[in-house]
Amino acid sequence: MESSTLHTNQDRKTVINVDSILQAQSRRYKSTEVSKNILPEVDLGNLLLIDRQPVDPQELQSDIEISLQQLARDNTQWLINEIWKLPTQQMEDALLVQLPEPTTIVAREKPIPKPKPPTKWEQYAKAKGIQKRKRGKMTFDEKTQTYKRRWGYKSVTDDSNDWVKEVPENADPYEDQFEVAREAKKERIAKNELQRLRNIERRQKGFFNKFEASKGKSTKTKAAQEEVTKAIKDAQSSTASHGVFTKILPQEKRLRKAGVRRKLPPNLGDVKSERGAGLEIADKLRKAPILNIPKAVSMNPVEEDGKKSKKGRKSKGNFRQGKRAKMSNRNFSQKTKKSSAISRSKKK
Amino acid sequence: MRPLTAEETKTFFEKLAKYISPENIKLLLDRPDASYCFRLHKDRVFYASEKIMLTANNFARKELVSFGTCFGKFTKTGKFRLYMTALDYLAPYAQFKVWVKPNGEQSFLYGNHVLKSHLGRITDSTSKYQGVIVMSMSDVPLGFGVSAKSTQECRRADPSSIVTFHQADVGEYLRTEETLL
């Protein structure tokens, strides 16, 4: 604070200029009064103020930082002034204000919860037109002349405290009727629990979709085929070697394992070794026996058959031949046929 | 561009072996003049000298159209299909040949099968469905195909019957110029 005292030499009296002090004060603290041409909208419940006054572009452009700061301060002050207009409460050291109900409608954060899908009973009741009727919880028990619960613990129907039980006419006389009742109750509980769980399952999101998808659609859908492919993949790799040595059936495709990237030889690798690999493959091709199908087909099949049948008859006479033995015999005959039809390409 | 995998090489060589013997495939790889190699680019197999391959390697995959000689392409099902451009290497090493009479040349070059009436000569011991090179009578290679009949059957065949199924011919250089590669 700037001291504005004046000292007169004559009487050494101190004269204080009050105006200047007040001015200095007002310079330090801005006024709580804010003037606006257009009244801002205030929603105290949300501590929200909407300033409708148009912005003066010239003032804004002169110094944008300061003018924005000014605007923000004024509006905050207005909001605080509005809060101070509300009735206050003293609570120990604090002053409390009860904010009114918010008037501005703010959008909901989360979507409205979906209605629960009906349980099986609710579905059935709706189909049959069964309406819920209000029934009291307590009913009058004729036996004991008291009011008892309609169901559950200590209910009218509770017969667990009976000391004697009737044996039905068609029942086994040596059967323990108490045990029967206990079992029946257990079963009822289990059935109810199962139904409850089923209702929960039905309520689960995926259940309906899955059910709808599987209903009335063939296995030729993309999803079904993907499932089959996955099953084949699993089967192929479910061996001790993780499918490395798994034999592939004639019509079966070797499926590529998911997540395993194939490694390709580098383009600028060793050309010599690459050539060596190529030569090896060509060599193997040269050595591979070529099955001459037309020649194999044109071989005299009658003679072969005759030999085979003769052989078969002979062996049958000697000992009983099992199915497996017969199979191996057949393979053998096929092999001989093939080997005679095989010709090495070199021969040509 | 990349070298062929073992599986691809096998498929490719098996196809080549139908036209030229595996011995000759080895000759393609092991050349005395320069180091040659097979490279796969955009599913196509190219045969080029190492020098050309290395030069072509400087181009981006997208920009590179061709280098060396295109032998053919792998189909989406993994089979190999020979292209007309491979003829230059197939013809000199060919095991089985079919010579076409001058009056049948044009018909073959228009993409038709070779008929018995156009057949000039055929390699002895050609079996059925054997890969053959089609030549003119003056030993100019015209294309290649697959024999529809064995040499024995050809002798007895009807003049209008097909002797060789057409696969590729040099006429393709004109007919399918845009889609050759």
Side-chain angles (χ1 to χ4, degrees):
Chain A
M1 192 165 74
E2 183 192 321
S3 92
S4 53
T5 51
L6 287 171
H7 301 276
T8 48
N9 290 329
Q10 285 171 343
D11 52 12
R12 292 207 170 259
K13 264 186 184 171
T14 310
V15 179
I16 297 164
N17 192 343
V18 180
D19 271 356
S20 63
I21 294 173
L22 282 176
Q23 264 177 17
Q25 276 286 6
S26 73
R27 246 179 273 134
R28 193 174 169 202
Y29 298 108
K30 278 178 184 162
S31 161
T32 56
E33 275 170 36
V34 183
S35 68
K36 290 250 178 202
N37 294 340
I38 300 167
L39 285 183
E41 281 174 32
V42 179
D43 172 19
L44 281 181
N46 283 325
L47 288 176
L48 172 77
L49 178 137
I50 301 165
D51 190 2
R52 299 281 186 197
Q53 187 159 303
V55 183
D56 184 13
Q58 276 183 348
E59 198 188 314
L60 200 68
Q61 267 169 9
S62 62
D63 194 340
I64 192 158
E65 277 301 315
I66 287 176
S67 59
L68 280 178
Q69 221 171 7
Q70 192 69 31
L71 200 63
R73 190 216 84 91
D74 284 355
N75 285 335
T76 317
Q77 185 64 56
W78 190 288
L79 188 66
I80 286 164
N81 289 351
E82 288 295 315
I83 293 168
W84 275 109
K85 279 178 197 165
L86 294 172
T88 55
Q89 262 178 299
Q90 183 79 32
M91 277 284 256
E92 291 174 11
D93 288 345
L95 260 185
L96 297 184
V97 169
Q98 182 72 42
L99 293 177
E101 280 296 304
T103 52
T104 313
I105 298 163
V106 183
R108 200 188 150 91
E109 185 199 2
K110 293 221 161 64
I112 297 167
K114 279 171 196 152
K116 271 187 191 175
T119 62
K120 193 91 189 217
W121 162 252
E122 280 165 353
Q123 275 175 354
Y124 177 76
K126 200 184 170 194
K128 288 275 174 186
I130 301 167
Q131 279 180 348
K132 242 185 186 175
R133 74 194 139 101
K134 190 76 188 161
R135 289 164 100 198
K137 193 181 172 187
M138 308 298 270
T139 48
F140 189 71
D141 187 9
E142 295 286 346
K143 268 191 248 165
T144 57
Q145 294 292 307
T146 49
Y147 276 94
K148 278 187 165 183
R149 287 189 194 96
R150 195 182 292 278
W151 68 86
Y153 181 60
K154 279 186 181 173
S155 62
V156 185
T157 52
D158 186 16
D159 54 1
S160 56
N161 280 336
D162 288 356
W163 57 276
V164 66
K165 269 198 199 295
E166 208 177 320
V167 179
E169 216 162 89
N170 53 359
D172 178 12
Y174 298 105
E175 203 175 27
D176 183 2
Q177 289 305 316
F178 290 97
E179 183 63 36
V180 169
R182 237 175 282 139
E183 280 300 313
K185 183 167 186 181
K186 263 187 196 168
E187 237 160 70
R188 281 199 307 273
I189 292 169
K191 189 190 170 200
N192 183 259
E193 179 66 9
L194 185 72
Q195 283 174 337
R196 187 181 74 85
L197 289 175
R198 271 199 195 141
N199 278 329
I200 291 171
E201 196 191 355
R202 205 171 294 120
R203 215 182 296 151
Q204 294 295 326
K205 204 182 166 190
F207 178 81
F208 276 110
N209 302 342
K210 227 191 228 174
F211 182 67
E212 289 302 314
S214 64
K215 208 170 67 181
K217 274 185 185 171
S218 72
T219 52
K220 283 180 180 173
T221 58
K222 204 183 171 196
Q225 282 187 344
E226 265 170 20
E227 232 165 76
V228 171
T229 316
K230 197 188 167 288
I232 293 171
K233 248 183 214 176
D234 288 348
Q236 280 181 355
S237 61
S238 298
T239 59
S241 66
H242 290 279
V244 176
F245 298 111
T246 313
K247 273 183 186 154
I248 294 293
L249 294 171
Q251 296 285 310
E252 202 182 354
K253 260 188 196 170
R254 166 80 72 183
L255 295 170
R256 218 195 280 166
K257 266 190 217 166
V260 178
R261 301 196 70 179
R262 55 184 185 155
K263 275 178 192 147
L264 296 169
N267 189 29
L268 301 174
D270 188 10
V271 177
K272 248 184 203 167
S273 70
E274 185 197 314
R275 190 187 309 137
L279 288 174
E280 215 168 86
I281 291 168
D283 236 14
K284 262 186 202 163
L285 219 62
R286 191 169 60 91
K287 281 174 189 160
I290 294 165
L291 177 63
N292 192 339
I293 294 168
K295 198 179 174 189
V297 169
S298 64
M299 297 224 30
N300 196 349
V302 182
E303 194 189 41
E304 285 265 326
D305 271 358
K307 262 184 197 169
K308 202 164 80 184
S309 60
K310 220 178 180 180
K311 209 175 179 182
R313 242 180 281 137
K314 201 179 165 189
S315 59
K316 223 174 195 176
N318 284 345
F319 53 85
R320 236 176 121 229
Q321 211 173 9
K323 200 179 173 186
R324 189 164 281 189
K326 271 183 201 163
M327 290 279 280
S328 67
N329 215 355
R330 204 171 64 196
N331 283 346
F332 177 72
S333 63
Q334 265 181 352
K335 254 181 211 164
T336 50
K337 198 172 161 188
K338 217 187 238 173
S339 61
S340 58
I342 280 169
S343 65
R344 288 184 190 279
S345 60
K346 223 183 170 183
K347 275 184 192 169
K348 289 177 202 163
Chain B
M1 193 201 306
R2 64 168 172 84
L4 280 78
T5 61
E7 207 173 312
E8 282 164 348
T9 315
K10 202 176 156 230
T11 324
F12 172 45
F13 282 1
E14 269 170 5
K15 189 52 162 278
L16 273 188
K18 286 181 179 164
Y19 299 86
I20 57 178
S21 72
E23 282 298 324
N24 292 329
I25 296 174
K26 288 171 85 176
L27 285 180
L28 281 178
L29 282 167
D30 221 359
R31 279 170 66 149
D33 52 342
S35 165
Y36 271 74
C37 58
F38 287 107
R39 280 289 181 274
L40 191 80
H41 171 64
K42 286 183 183 168
D43 275 350
R44 264 138 261 256
V45 173
F46 290 93
Y47 179 62
S49 73
E50 203 184 338
K51 199 181 154 197
I52 288 179
M53 182 271 286
L54 288 173
T55 318
N57 198 42
N58 292 322
F59 291 90
R61 211 179 293 175
K62 220 176 161 186
E63 320 299 340
L64 188 60
V65 176
S66 170
F67 59 97
T69 310
C70 181
F71 262 56
K73 71 169 228 179
F74 279 99
T75 61
K76 305 265 184 203
T77 50
K79 295 185 189 95
F80 186 78
R81 195 152 295 167
L82 273 172
Y83 271 2
M84 180 60 236
T85 40
L87 184 67
D88 289 347
Y89 291 96
L90 295 182
Y93 300 121
Q95 287 178 295
F96 298 94
K97 292 173 190 172
V98 167
W99 285 266
V100 178
K101 284 177 190 166
N103 60 344
E105 270 174 29
Q106 197 188 39
S107 166
F108 179 71
L109 292 180
Y110 280 9
N112 300 316
H113 301 308
V114 178
L115 301 180
K116 166 74 197 302
S117 55
H118 295 151
L119 187 70
R121 275 160 70 197
I122 185 167
T123 314
D124 265 351
S125 76
T126 306
S127 54
K128 207 174 181 183
Y129 306 133
Q130 167 71 47
V132 292
I133 307 292
V134 180
M135 319 271 259
S136 71
M137 289 312 276
S138 51
D139 268 353
V140 177
L142 297 176
F144 53 86
V146 166
S147 64
K149 286 181 171 55
S150 67
T151 315
Q152 293 293 326
E153 283 170 320
C154 277
R155 288 193 185 123
R156 281 173 276 156
D158 186 59
S160 63
S161 63
I162 296 165
V163 171
T164 305
F165 295 121
H166 169 274
Q167 275 184 334
D169 65 82
V170 285
E172 276 175 40
Y173 283 116
L174 290 178
R175 276 185 281 128
T176 57
E177 201 182 343
E178 293 100 3
T179 55
L180 200 62
L181 269 190

